[in-house]
Amino acid sequence: MMGNLKPLEIVLIIAVVLLLFGAKKLPDMARSLGKSARILKSEAKAMRKDDEPAATATTEAAADQTAQQPAAARTIQAAPGDVTSSRPVNEAKPTTQS
């Protein structure tokens, strides 16, 4: 459907968008859309990165690593240089019940 748009129809759509939102708000909207896309991309990359070691490591090796290293807070950053939207990752900690 998108491939069937003619140049006149594209110009008409752009004109309607300009009339609805105004020329001043369009750069802000495009900026926020790009930021959202970067956040989505970095979150997907972090999820893939977290899944790779879990699939290849054995449970014994993972237990040895946890015993040797103290638990450090990890952070997923939304975009390079964007520290306002970075957040800590909460991991499930094993509980010992007696």
Side-chain angles (χ1 to χ4, degrees):
M1 181 175 174
M2 291 296 281
N4 296 336
L5 291 178
K6 297 175 183 155
L8 182 61
E9 293 169 344
I10 294 172
V11 170
L12 183 65
I13 291 171
I14 291 173
V16 169
V17 169
L18 278 172
L19 287 174
L20 287 176
F21 297 109
K24 290 185 179 182
K25 289 193 178 188
L26 286 179
D28 292 334
M29 291 173 55
R31 198 173 297 117
S32 65
L33 183 64
K35 188 173 182 180
S36 300
R38 282 192 304 271
I39 290 171
L40 179 65
K41 184 178 178 181
S42 67
E43 290 287 335
K45 192 178 203 180
M47 288 176 64
R48 276 188 253 123
K49 191 177 186 181
D50 286 344
D51 287 343
E52 287 174 3
T56 58
T58 62
T59 55
E60 292 176 344
D64 289 342
Q65 277 185 336
T66 334
Q68 292 174 355
Q69 298 175 351
R74 295 184 324 164
T75 322
I76 297 177
Q77 285 193 345
D82 184 18
V83 293
T84 58
S85 59
S86 61
R87 60 178 174 77
V89 177
N90 297 328
E91 294 181 357
K93 296 181 180 178
T95 57
T96 56
Q97 297 177 355
S98 301

